[in-house]
Amino acid sequence: MQTFAEELDLLRSQGLYRSMRVINGAQGSHVELDGKRVLLLCSNNYLGLADHPALRRAAVFGAALGTGSGASRLVSGTMALHVELEERIARFKGTEKALVFNSGYAANTGIISALVGRGDAIYSDKLNHASIVDGALLSRADFHRYPHRDMAALERLLREKPGSGRRLIVTDGVFSMDGDIAPLQQMVQLARQYDALLMVDDAHGTGVLGATGRGTAELLGVMDGVDIHMGTLGKGLGSCGAYAAASTEICDYLVNKARSFIFSTSLPPAVLAPSVAALDLVDSREGKELRDRLAANVALFKGRLAAAGFDTMGSETQIVPIFVGPAEATMRFSKELLDEGIFVQGIRPPTVPAGSCRLRCTIMATHEAADLEAAADTIERLGKKLGVI
């Protein structure tokens, strides 16, 4: 049996060893990393709200109510701000009710393992987030995975492996490593045809996509066709936590059955208040301007990469992967970019399959066009030097 030290050495030799980089200060378009000012090109802070003055003020207001909630939601940890945020999320998503979880991981594992169990069936895209996979495994339901965005394969599974109980189709709205979008219109049709629930994890679409920032389902015109809208508060909305927005019946069921909700101390008020402020901001004129600016920045950056000959793997959103392939080459590319003042993380197994390593660039509304132009120039120069293009 290998020791932990030997396993770590093996990871290092394979270019798969991971360590954390420490940012000093707020999450902005530029940050201080290891004492050096760099362009931040790998944050999920898509609208730049993580250091927005309105959210900062809300956090101060929340902190005045205490630094902790004191207990889980079903003991004494439900505060007025929890209820206010849940009502605000329900209005935002157009559902009867909403429920706040402590993180996206807690939401997906809790929702899925509560809604389905032995004898039930789950149908999941092969590129769904790890938290969806873990939720499916925890549920002990029959777990069926279909090739990425392959609706013919999904229908075949629904028809041939129906299970004997509930059926749950679950998908990312925006796929976090590829930046492409789930075919929700077809999925809604299949869910209705085969009497299945449809759950969409819109962590990377919430606040960003759609005419009013309601996410992927709004973009594709199927808000009413999704049974469980899951999303996070810590990406486009710049705060922390996650939610399920659904019918009153489903939310009440989750209150009674979702273990990650029942057995966790609830989020503190200094986190809840900024989330309410973020939703208000997304609904404002400023929110529309931020989404428009983000779209313009994405178009500029993608256009430059495409002209240079990079493979961006079919991205349709602010997540812009640059395909490299081998892990070691990916990490070398990432290191050389950082040496030139551009912070982009390399993505390796187990996050993505072996041989499909990539740089995962993410664009923010607060990036300046000139900075993105300069970054694209540097990426092109180093891509040629390293043989990526």
Side-chain angles (χ1 to χ4, degrees):
M1 180 184 295
Q2 283 187 319
T3 66
F4 295 133
E6 288 170 339
E7 288 192 43
L8 289 171
D9 286 341
L10 179 61
L11 290 175
R12 291 186 184 95
S13 70
Q14 295 171 334
L16 300 178
Y17 182 80
R18 300 166 189 245
S19 59
M20 291 178 281
R21 310 303 299 259
V22 180
I23 287 174
N24 184 29
Q27 291 268 335
S29 61
H30 290 79
V31 295
E32 183 182 319
L33 184 71
D34 300 332
K36 178 181 178 181
R37 187 172 184 268
V38 297
L39 178 69
L40 181 59
L41 208 58
C42 57
S43 171
N44 296 329
N45 182 27
Y46 302 126
L47 297 178
L49 300 188
D51 63 343
H52 192 283
L55 273 69
R56 289 175 182 262
R57 289 192 296 270
V60 172
F61 165 76
L65 301 176
T67 57
S69 65
S72 63
R73 290 288 300 275
L74 292 177
V75 180
S76 62
T78 294
M79 305 176 74
L81 271 173
H82 289 97
V83 177
E84 180 182 351
L85 175 57
E86 287 169 345
E87 291 175 346
R88 186 68 182 85
I89 291 169
R91 292 198 305 274
F92 181 72
K93 300 299 285 190
T95 59
E96 292 177 344
K97 203 166 184 177
L99 195 65
V100 169
F101 288 79
N102 286 13
S103 69
Y105 189 92
N108 276 338
T109 55
I111 294 166
I112 295 169
S113 62
L115 292 181
V116 291
R118 292 186 188 275
D120 299 331
I122 299 170
Y123 309 89
S124 174
D125 191 294
K126 278 195 173 181
L127 295 190
N128 276 344
H129 192 268
S131 57
I132 292 175
V133 175
D134 289 355
L137 296 175
L138 282 171
S139 76
R140 301 183 181 180
D142 296 332
F143 185 30
H144 308 296
R145 302 176 75 186
Y146 56 89
H148 184 46
R149 301 200 304 177
D150 187 335
M151 293 299 96
L154 172 57
E155 181 169 16
R156 192 160 52 249
L157 286 171
L158 287 163
R159 185 175 63 249
E160 297 176 359
K161 298 181 182 295
S164 58
R166 294 188 185 120
R167 288 173 286 277
L168 175 67
I169 302 170
V170 59
T171 185
D172 285 0
V174 175
F175 292 91
S176 60
M177 293 298 121
D178 292 60
D180 53 352
I181 293 173
L184 294 185
Q185 294 162 328
Q186 296 160 272
M187 299 184 83
V188 167
Q189 293 172 0
L190 289 172
R192 298 301 167 260
Q193 181 179 347
Y194 289 93
D195 191 26
L197 293 168
L198 175 60
M199 174 178 167
V200 177
D201 174 346
D202 212 27
H204 297 274
T206 300
V208 174
L209 299 182
T212 63
R214 264 61 181 170
T216 310
E218 182 186 40
L219 178 71
L220 298 178
V222 293
M223 288 290 288
D224 293 338
V226 176
D227 297 294
I228 304 103
H229 297 267
M230 177 271 173
T232 55
L233 303 166
K235 297 180 174 64
L237 298 182
S239 183
C240 185
Y243 62 83
S247 66
T248 298
E249 181 180 50
I250 286 177
C251 287
D252 288 350
Y253 188 83
L254 293 174
V255 167
N256 285 275
K257 293 288 188 177
R259 293 171 66 84
S260 63
F261 175 86
I262 296 168
F263 297 109
S264 294
T265 297
S266 61
L267 290 173
V271 167
L272 302 168
S275 296
V276 175
L279 290 167
D280 290 342
L281 198 149
V282 166
D283 276 344
S284 70
R285 180 176 178 179
E286 183 181 355
K288 174 67 164 59
E289 291 171 351
L290 286 170
R291 287 191 296 277
D292 289 346
R293 184 169 179 185
L294 176 61
N297 282 346
V298 170
L300 182 157
F301 189 69
K302 281 185 181 175
R304 289 297 305 274
L305 294 184
F310 285 104
D311 177 3
T312 56
M313 307 181 70
S315 168
E316 303 171 79
T317 63
Q318 70 281 357
I319 298 168
V320 187
I322 297 175
F323 180 82
V324 180
E328 290 185 7
T330 301
M331 298 316 295
R332 182 181 174 191
F333 202 164
S334 175
K335 180 184 181 304
E336 295 209 13
L337 282 170
L338 187 58
D339 290 342
E340 303 237 9
I342 301 169
F343 183 27
V344 183
Q345 284 284 19
I347 307 298
R348 299 160 286 168
T351 308
V352 296
S356 69
C357 302
R358 79 282 311 261
L359 299 177
R360 180 182 179 269
C361 303
T362 50
I363 309 304
M364 295 190 288
T366 49
H367 281 137
E368 296 293 337
D371 288 329
L372 293 175
E373 292 270 11
D377 286 342
T378 303
I379 291 169
E380 179 179 4
R381 173 167 51 80
L382 291 177
K384 289 177 179 177
K385 171 187 170 184
L386 299 173
V388 177
I389 52 172

